[in-house]
Amino acid sequence: MATRMTANGVSTTTAPGTEQYETFYSALRGKRISRVMYDYRDTDNELFSCVAPTLEECRRKRDEWLKAKIGGSK
């Protein structure tokens, strides 16, 4: 799968505090389904990546990840 989000297998999301996403299509049991590939580069330069059915779901997962990071650092 060709993607604009990676170059040689490395995320192109480089600026801290930014997100990047794209929709792709896959087949599941003969049906075409859409998925969102999502990358978020945190302000401490750590990368969060996920794949989910919608952009809203990706952002919800990102928010959970951020809450866990903040809670885990105390």
Side-chain angles (χ1 to χ4, degrees):
M1 174 177 76
T3 177
R4 63 177 170 76
M5 290 181 51
T6 60
N8 298 320
V10 178
S11 175
T12 58
T13 307
T14 57
T18 61
E19 68 178 14
Q20 185 169 277
Y21 58 90
E22 68 181 61
T23 302
F24 66 95
Y25 296 91
S26 181
L28 178 65
R29 296 185 185 131
K31 293 184 180 180
R32 184 175 154 156
I33 58 171
S34 67
R35 292 287 184 254
V36 177
M37 183 172 23
Y38 180 88
D39 283 353
Y40 172 76
R41 180 76 62 185
D42 195 9
T43 53
D44 65 0
N45 216 27
E46 190 172 350
L47 181 67
F48 170 81
S49 296
C50 75
V51 174
T54 65
L55 179 58
E56 292 78 20
E57 179 70 12
C58 290
R59 287 177 174 157
R60 186 189 63 75
K61 289 180 178 186
R62 176 206 58 200
D63 293 344
E64 288 177 2
W65 175 76
L66 287 169
K67 282 181 189 176
K69 272 183 63 166
I70 292 168
S73 64
K74 291 181 180 180

